[in-house]
Amino acid sequence: MAEPVIAQRGPVVLKIEPCTYWWCACGRSKTQPFCDGSHEGTGLEPREVEIKEAQTVAFCACKHSGDGAFCDGTHRTLKAG
């Protein structure tokens, strides 16, 4: 299985509506933070995220969060590379 690519070193903050979203876990999607199918062949799969009410969400873009699709600040501890 491939390691996820760091899409950016900070969250993607969006106002979103209730819906089911597919969060990109591989970091390769051109439609961050959402999946566009770029994970094919990596062994990584997008994660389903169900949002039940309109809200502002900080989606993880470093792809290393301990909170899945949501930013937990892990990007601050990643080494440059």
Side-chain angles (χ1 to χ4, degrees):
M1 178 181 340
E3 285 291 314
V5 173
I6 297 171
Q8 73 180 39
R9 292 183 179 275
V12 175
V13 180
L14 299 171
K15 291 182 182 180
I16 57 174
E17 296 298 317
C19 190
T20 299
Y21 297 89
W22 289 94
W23 173 73
C24 168
C26 73
R28 292 164 174 81
S29 175
K30 302 291 186 232
T31 59
Q32 290 295 328
F34 306 115
C35 178
D36 69 0
S38 295
H39 63 276
E40 292 295 325
T42 66
L44 299 168
E45 296 290 328
R47 296 198 187 147
E48 183 177 18
V49 177
E50 185 177 350
I51 302 296
K52 297 194 183 263
E53 60 187 52
Q55 60 186 290
T56 299
V57 175
F59 285 104
C60 173
C62 77
K63 311 306 176 183
H64 290 81
S65 175
D67 196 15
F70 306 104
C71 180
D72 69 356
T74 297
H75 60 273
R76 291 186 218 115
T77 65
L78 297 176
K79 293 180 181 177

